[in-house]
Amino acid sequence: MNTISSIKINGLTTAFSVDLKKEILLDWSRFDCCQKSYSLKMMCEDEIVFKLENRSSFSKRTFVTIPSAFRSSVRKQFVLQIKITGQNEEQYELESAFYSENLNLEGAEWITRLDNPIEKEYEYFQEKANIVLEKEFVVTSDLKKSFIDICGLGYYSLFINGARVHDTYLTNDVTNYDKIVYYDTMDISNYVRTGKNKVRVELGNGWYNPAPILLLNRYNIRKQLAIGKPCLLAQISLYMPDGSTKVINTDNTWVSGFGQYLSNNIYIGEHFTDATSHELAMTTKVHGPSGKLTPSLIPKVKRKKEIRPKMIKTTESYIIMDLEEIISGQVGFHINKEFIGEITLYYAEDMGSNHELNFLTSISGLYGMSDKRNHIHPEDPVIQKDKITKTRPEPLYFENTYTYHSFRYIKVEFKHVDQVTSGEENNCILEKFTSYRVHTDLQKISTFFSSSTELNALWDASIDTRLNNIHSYFEDCSRERLGYGGDIVALLDTQMLTLDTENLLKKVFLDFAADQTMQGGITQTAPYVGIMTHGPSNGSGSIGWQLVFPSIAHAICNKYKDAGFVENNTQYLVKHLNYLLSFDYDYIKHCCLGDWGSVDTSIQSGKIYTPDQTFCSACMYLIILRQYQKLFASLGKSGSMYDVLLERIESVKARIMDEFYTHKGYFATGSQSSFIFGIQAGLLEREIQSLVEGNLLKKLEQDSWIFKFGIFGMSWAFEILSQLGEEQHVYQWLTREEMPSYRAMLSRGNKVLSEYFPIQISNPLHANASFNHAMFASYSSWMIRNLIGINTSEQDEHVMIQPYFPNELEFAHGAIDTLVGKVSLEWKKQCEGKYELNVSLPLGMKYSIKQNSIYNIVAQETGTNNKNRLVKIVYELDHMT
């Protein structure tokens, strides 16, 4: 019997803080075998917690509840064993351990360094070393185990006996800290030694102490976020051989000191110095944020890829480097010991024709205030930069720790002290210069590759742009770094199909629930920063952006089969639905931004208007109501509120049709967005369906099959047009070269997507648009489902095989990790009009083949192995058609 450790507990491979009062998700779907049945046993301190014997199931996930007798405030270890019987009676054994949550954290206190307790906003930019908090403790004997529960706000770095304990960066889960405060639990057994030990925690400002800059030139996010002085809460638990536990809490006996970062800010950057200070300061207790302490449930932010930049310009005072792609990331490098002076790094996504950096696409806003000491003026733009001050003739290493930048180009300026150098000498000052892509460590669950280098680049761009903009929540771009609900819902399907997003979606759902308004509205972003463009009431976001709330809930309930999570949060969903139902149609039909990002967007009297904005906004109201209908049907909900919902759906549909539909088969002005919104909203009765769909195709043909949809319409169009049999035109759009097109986006060589489709060289709407923006990355799902041809059911129980064969492609292959195992498909062109497919799917998964009127299709199962059933399918052109 093979013993393998590949079980996730609540989505985590290492679970050191499990809430025993809630259902626990056990997931071994990544174990690649075909399962016929399984037995499960859980132990705690040699006692059997529960057993399941010979459960026949292909599913590799189950929820368990820990009996109350095994719950306590003391952290306990639970050992899980799963015995699997394969299809050919082969046996496997999986084993894993997890620990219960430490419920004694109330003994720890929030602490910080005592600086100026009434610091004003205008003093924020005055340099002062970041906070360091230390504690020495003695261990008198060997330990059985050691843990630390820790939350450092805004970001933290943990060292024990001089060693960095974690390989994560930007470490802390961003949320509304006045509602939820996530803490991490780490096994520190390999770092604690017998004798004297020292724990050291460095703090960065992060989102808990942001700068008072004017984001987007108008929003001071300090006015909306839960903020405070960087602070620490931690508890070290030392488990002794005799069964006792020694606990070390944060309190005012910890020693405060000064770090080497003289400033650090998430949007601006960091100022680092070698002038270390051994000065001590007073440690003080503070209230800290008021949110509920909660174990973190998501993967952490990590450095995932190293890129060595290419030198492209050298002068006596600066050098310019090119990564040859845009990343959201950090840098690290050694500085030659002979250099004394200042080094300033500027980061940009673009470069002008004069070989100077163009900062327009990555400027987050304005400083908004004066600081004469730092030469800051209110109208100064916030440009990404780092500064290093080196005062001693010793080697120095610098790396970003509490910020990240969006950049392709780096300009490095040198300011020497009493020294004149040449450009060639400047090249030698920085050694081993490396940049790192930095993002939440989400596992990729889909692959795609084809004979087209352009399609492969498009696939990579979708993945990389989205990962560039995930740092403990889904962001729109690295310039704004905001969790817009509209962007999230437009990309939801693609995110779930390509990345392991289950835990992150649960966390983001809770983010929106935490910021829900008193009336029940869902905010435009989570965390809420004050943006509420076209929202129906104070604090709430526009209707399309509120769609994110029931959409994530529906995905968790149906895609990930965790109805319990949704049931536990039904109160927020019911409150939101009641809020939506409280508005009159004539008012709320205006409360949306329509199909944001459409090529047909216009500016009128200084305001931005999307095509058929009122109609699309009315449709969005109907779409969000229908999403609640689907969600509550999944949960088995009924009753008076559900009846009111159904009545409202019918009345809103009738009002929209009466106001916007013409008997010629058009909605509103007949824009592309109007057709796609009308179809998505379910406005098409049988008698008008073919007429409206035909008019949509005529409109697209008139527009030369240029997709002018915005972020919502683009996402829906890929599926809707495929259902209409227009795969060839979807493919034509994805491979189009001329502006506007995806390939025009990629023609800059940035290897990521931009905020808008390039239309012309200069466009007032796009002048400052981000070059590292994910909102149009929704096409990945079409590439898997339609181009490769793997279309799994919502709960991964069935796969429909439906490949599209473009004449230009010789082959394509891809795979998806589903909840019951991996599905892979490879097709090759054998000759003109003939294609051969090889499909591998879990033995327990059913499959069917979508009929194709122009091909004769022959399928044959060619065998099985311990993991999969193998199917060979031949498509041959039917010359009779």
Side-chain angles (χ1 to χ4, degrees):
M1 180 180 293
N2 300 315
T3 301
I4 305 166
S5 178
S6 57
I7 307 172
K8 285 186 175 182
I9 313 296
N10 288 341
L12 301 174
T13 53
T14 52
F16 296 133
S17 194
V18 175
D19 185 347
L20 300 185
K21 299 187 298 297
K22 297 180 180 177
E23 276 192 323
I24 301 172
L25 171 60
L26 311 180
D27 184 342
W28 60 100
S29 58
R30 298 293 178 257
F31 178 56
D32 195 12
C33 81
C34 188
Q35 170 184 294
K36 183 169 72 174
S37 64
Y38 71 89
S39 300
L40 187 153
K41 181 172 71 172
M42 186 177 291
M43 305 285 293
C44 179
E45 297 176 351
D46 298 325
E47 289 188 67
I48 297 176
V49 178
F50 62 79
K51 294 174 68 175
L52 294 174
E53 297 286 354
N54 295 320
R55 174 162 292 189
S56 297
S57 177
F58 291 111
S59 176
K60 299 177 183 177
R61 288 162 56 103
T62 189
F63 291 89
V64 299
T65 301
I66 302 295
S68 57
F70 292 94
R71 303 175 199 165
S72 73
S73 61
V74 179
R75 180 183 278 117
K76 290 186 176 182
Q77 184 189 48
F78 292 79
V79 177
L80 176 66
Q81 294 178 340
I82 301 176
K83 293 182 179 180
I84 296 173
T85 300
Q87 290 296 312
N88 299 320
E89 303 302 321
E90 68 278 13
Q91 300 291 309
Y92 304 93
E93 183 172 304
L94 278 58
E95 184 170 298
S96 186
F98 67 91
Y99 291 82
S100 61
E101 180 185 3
N102 176 15
L103 298 178
N104 296 308
L105 280 175
E106 69 275 2
E109 298 174 299
W110 289 101
I111 61 172
T112 190
R113 185 179 69 203
L114 181 59
D115 296 328
N116 181 1
I118 53 172
E119 185 177 68
K120 304 299 183 184
E121 274 196 358
Y122 68 82
E123 298 176 274
Y124 184 94
F125 297 106
Q126 295 177 12
E127 293 186 340
K128 51 188 173 293
N130 66 309
I131 297 170
V132 174
L133 297 160
E134 297 180 338
K135 179 73 173 181
E136 290 188 351
F137 60 95
V138 176
V139 175
T140 57
S141 62
D142 291 340
L143 299 173
K144 292 173 63 178
K145 208 74 175 173
S146 307
F147 288 98
I148 185 169
D149 300 290
I150 180 171
C151 179
L153 298 176
Y155 294 134
Y156 73 88
S157 298
L158 170 66
F159 303 85
I160 295 179
N161 296 325
R164 198 173 197 272
V165 172
H166 50 106
D167 62 350
T168 64
Y169 290 82
L170 309 177
T171 308
N172 175 260
D173 299 349
V174 181
T175 188
N176 181 342
Y177 301 120
D178 277 344
K179 297 294 181 67
I180 307 173
V181 178
Y182 291 107
Y183 68 89
D184 300 316
T185 302
M186 303 181 200
D187 182 347
I188 56 173
S189 304
N190 293 334
Y191 297 89
V192 177
R193 61 197 179 205
T194 304
K196 185 182 290 187
N197 294 266
K198 178 186 281 190
V199 57
R200 180 174 184 265
V201 181
E202 287 188 354
L203 298 178
N205 290 319
W207 286 92
Y208 192 59
N209 189 31
I213 61 174
L214 297 182
L215 192 64
L216 300 175
N217 300 346
R218 65 179 71 91
Y219 300 102
N220 181 347
I221 57 179
R222 289 183 69 86
K223 304 297 184 184
Q224 302 296 337
L225 296 177
I227 65 167
K229 187 178 178 63
C231 53
L232 171 69
L233 182 142
Q235 184 178 88
I236 298 173
S237 301
L238 307 174
Y239 294 89
M240 303 298 180
D242 62 2
S244 63
T245 305
K246 179 180 179 181
V247 172
I248 300 161
N249 289 313
T250 44
D251 56 26
N252 57 11
T253 65
W254 284 55
V255 175
S256 287
F258 300 85
Q260 293 180 266
Y261 292 89
L262 300 180
S263 65
N264 66 91
N265 176 261
I266 48 178
Y267 287 107
I268 304 169
E270 299 166 322
H271 182 185
F272 182 80
T273 181
D274 64 347
T276 54
S277 171
H278 299 290
E279 179 185 358
L280 299 181
M282 184 179 293
T283 300
T284 182
K285 295 183 289 184
V286 290
H287 277 291
S290 57
K292 180 183 177 182
L293 279 172
T294 304
S296 173
L297 69 155
I298 63 171
K300 299 285 125 180
V301 175
K302 293 186 177 182
R303 293 175 173 173
K304 298 303 296 180
K305 179 183 178 182
E306 293 187 14
I307 304 170
R308 292 292 177 91
K310 174 185 176 184
M311 197 79 64
I312 61 173
K313 186 176 181 180
T314 301
T315 74
E316 292 182 359
S317 58
Y318 68 87
I319 59 176
I320 295 179
M321 296 179 281
D322 179 7
L323 270 61
E324 300 182 317
E325 66 178 286
I326 289 178
I327 67 168
S328 295
Q330 300 177 332
V331 300
F333 53 86
H334 296 268
I335 304 173
N336 189 293
K337 67 178 183 179
E338 281 79 20
F339 175 83
I340 304 294
E342 287 184 354
I343 299 174
T344 304
L345 294 86
Y346 297 91
Y347 302 86
E349 297 173 347
D350 190 30
M351 177 173 285
S353 57
N354 58 354
H355 240 57
E356 288 297 323
L357 272 58
N358 172 22
F359 300 108
L360 288 178
T361 70
S362 56
I363 290 173
S364 55
L366 305 175
Y367 276 94
M369 64 173 57
S370 296
D371 186 328
K372 294 182 180 179
R373 183 182 302 180
N374 290 290
H375 308 290
I376 292 173
H377 304 284
E379 298 303 317
D380 287 348
V382 176
I383 293 172
Q384 305 173 101
K385 61 181 179 182
D386 296 317
K387 185 164 75 171
I388 301 98
T389 300
K390 188 169 181 291
T391 63
R392 296 180 292 200
E394 297 175 2
L396 180 64
Y397 179 72
F398 168 76
E399 65 176 357
N400 290 129
T401 303
Y402 305 116
T403 190
Y404 71 91
H405 301 291
S406 177
F407 63 102
R408 171 176 172 171
Y409 301 97
I410 311 167
K411 181 179 182 179
V412 186
E413 291 184 348
F414 302 94
K415 184 178 179 181
H416 299 259
V417 174
D418 299 329
Q419 187 179 358
V420 177
T421 61
S422 66
E424 187 175 330
E425 289 173 315
N426 284 338
N427 286 343
C428 300
I429 292 174
L430 308 185
E431 301 173 353
K432 298 180 181 179
F433 194 106
T434 306
S435 58
Y436 306 91
R437 290 189 67 212
V438 176
H439 56 78
T440 295
D441 189 18
L442 297 180
Q443 183 178 355
K444 298 177 185 178
I445 61 172
S446 295
T447 60
F448 172 92
F449 192 74
S450 74
S451 57
S452 166
T453 56
E454 291 81 8
L455 278 178
N456 298 339
L458 200 60
W459 171 268
D460 291 341
S462 172
I463 297 282
D464 291 344
T465 311
R466 286 183 281 119
L467 287 174
N468 273 350
N469 294 291
I470 302 177
H471 299 89
S472 88
Y473 59 98
F474 300 99
E475 306 157 26
D476 63 323
C477 68
S478 298
R479 180 191 63 208
E480 296 180 38
R481 310 185 182 192
L482 302 179
Y484 285 101
D487 298 66
I488 295 169
V489 74
L491 297 178
L492 181 58
D493 181 54
T494 279
Q495 301 282 28
M496 292 192 297
L497 195 68
T498 55
L499 301 170
D500 185 0
T501 58
E502 180 176 2
N503 277 26
L504 188 57
L505 284 174
K506 290 176 179 177
K507 186 261 184 188
V508 170
F509 177 88
L510 296 175
D511 287 343
F512 280 102
D515 275 335
Q516 188 171 31
T517 68
M518 292 183 64
Q519 295 85 2
I522 299 301
T523 53
Q524 193 97 339
T525 68
Y528 176 61
V529 297
I531 299 173
M532 46 188 171
T533 311
H534 288 206
S537 67
N538 184 38
S540 68
S542 55
I543 295 302
W545 277 247
Q546 296 194 46
L547 178 61
V548 69
F549 202 52
S551 296
I552 291 180
H554 185 270
I556 293 169
C557 183
N558 291 277
K559 167 67 176 176
Y560 299 114
K561 305 181 184 180
D562 195 351
F565 176 91
V566 180
E567 290 279 7
N568 290 337
N569 293 284
T570 301
Q571 65 193 72
Y572 304 107
L573 294 159
V574 170
K575 186 176 180 180
H576 184 219
L577 178 56
N578 281 328
Y579 169 81
L580 294 170
L581 294 173
S582 70
F583 291 99
D584 290 333
Y585 163 79
D586 287 315
Y587 172 79
I588 203 169
K589 72 179 181 182
H590 297 283
C591 298
C592 189
L593 294 165
D595 201 9
W596 183 257
S598 167
V599 170
D600 284 335
T601 298
S602 61
I603 299 179
Q604 304 171 28
S605 302
K607 294 183 178 180
I608 298 175
Y609 290 91
T610 55
D612 289 319
Q613 185 164 320
T614 303
F615 168 73
C616 290
S617 297
C619 285
M620 190 61 87
Y621 182 50
L622 181 55
I623 288 167
I624 195 171
L625 294 179
R626 288 193 186 278
Q627 186 65 279
Y628 267 110
Q629 179 187 6
K630 288 170 56 181
L631 173 62
F632 286 166
S634 298
L635 295 171
K637 300 292 183 184
S638 59
S640 59
M641 188 180 72
Y642 189 71
D643 293 337
V644 171
L645 171 61
L646 297 181
E647 291 175 7
R648 178 63 63 88
I649 287 172
E650 291 306 313
S651 67
V652 169
K653 177 181 175 181
R655 291 290 304 275
I656 293 174
M657 291 296 291
D658 183 61
E659 182 176 0
F660 295 103
Y661 179 70
T662 72
H663 293 292
K664 295 180 181 180
Y666 293 92
F667 299 106
T669 68
S671 64
Q672 288 188 18
S673 293
S674 71
F675 284 111
I676 221 73
F677 268 69
I679 294 171
Q680 186 69 18
L683 296 178
L684 303 194
E685 300 291 353
R686 182 174 298 175
E687 60 270 18
I688 68 168
Q689 181 171 344
S690 60
L691 178 62
V692 172
E693 290 173 347
N695 284 339
L696 166 63
L697 301 183
K698 288 178 184 177
K699 173 61 177 172
L700 287 165
E701 187 174 11
Q702 289 170 5
D703 292 337
S704 302
W705 292 98
I706 296 170
F707 288 13
K708 297 184 178 182
F709 309 108
I711 59 174
F712 298 106
M714 192 71 73
S715 175
W716 301 330
F718 294 125
E719 180 179 358
I720 289 171
L721 290 173
S722 293
Q723 290 172 353
L724 296 177
E726 297 297 329
E727 283 93 346
Q728 76 274 17
H729 287 117
V730 176
Y731 179 81
Q732 176 182 316
W733 164 242
L734 291 180
T735 56
R736 174 184 167 86
E737 291 189 37
E738 301 82 4
M739 295 183 184
S741 67
Y742 281 106
R743 288 179 66 177
M745 277 190 187
L746 298 181
S747 64
R748 299 185 180 99
N750 294 330
K751 299 182 182 180
V752 292
L753 303 178
S754 52
E755 187 169 4
Y756 297 107
F757 288 99
I759 304 174
Q760 56 194 44
I761 300 302
S762 60
N763 185 309
L765 279 172
H766 306 164
N768 302 328
S770 169
F771 281 179
N772 186 11
H773 204 295
M775 69 184 187
F776 279 112
S778 56
Y779 54 80
S780 295
S781 53
W782 183 88
M783 296 175 77
I784 289 291
R785 291 194 178 116
N786 297 87
L787 194 54
I788 298 297
I790 304 173
N791 192 355
T792 57
S793 61
E794 191 167 47
Q795 297 187 353
D796 290 341
E797 296 167 346
H798 174 269
V799 60
M800 171 70 77
I801 298 169
Q802 52 180 45
Y804 167 63
F805 307 119
N807 288 333
E808 300 89 338
L809 288 190
E810 296 298 319
F811 68 84
H813 59 81
I816 310 176
D817 289 329
T818 73
L819 298 180
V820 295
K822 177 174 285 190
V823 180
S824 63
L825 188 155
E826 178 180 14
W827 61 257
K828 291 181 179 180
K829 180 188 288 188
Q830 300 298 309
C831 59
E832 198 63 35
K834 183 177 181 180
Y835 296 86
E836 182 176 295
L837 279 67
N838 288 296
V839 185
S840 174
L841 63 157
L843 288 170
M845 180 180 280
K846 298 177 181 178
Y847 76 93
S848 56
I849 303 171
K850 185 178 181 180
Q851 294 303 307
N852 191 309
S853 59
I854 66 171
Y855 288 100
N856 292 316
I857 304 173
V858 178
Q860 177 185 5
E861 294 204 24
T862 59
T864 61
N865 53 34
N866 291 342
K867 302 175 183 178
N868 303 93
R869 63 200 298 187
L870 308 175
V871 183
K872 181 178 179 180
I873 308 172
V874 176
Y875 284 68
E876 190 160 11
L877 197 64
D878 185 347
H879 295 287
M880 297 298 293
T881 62

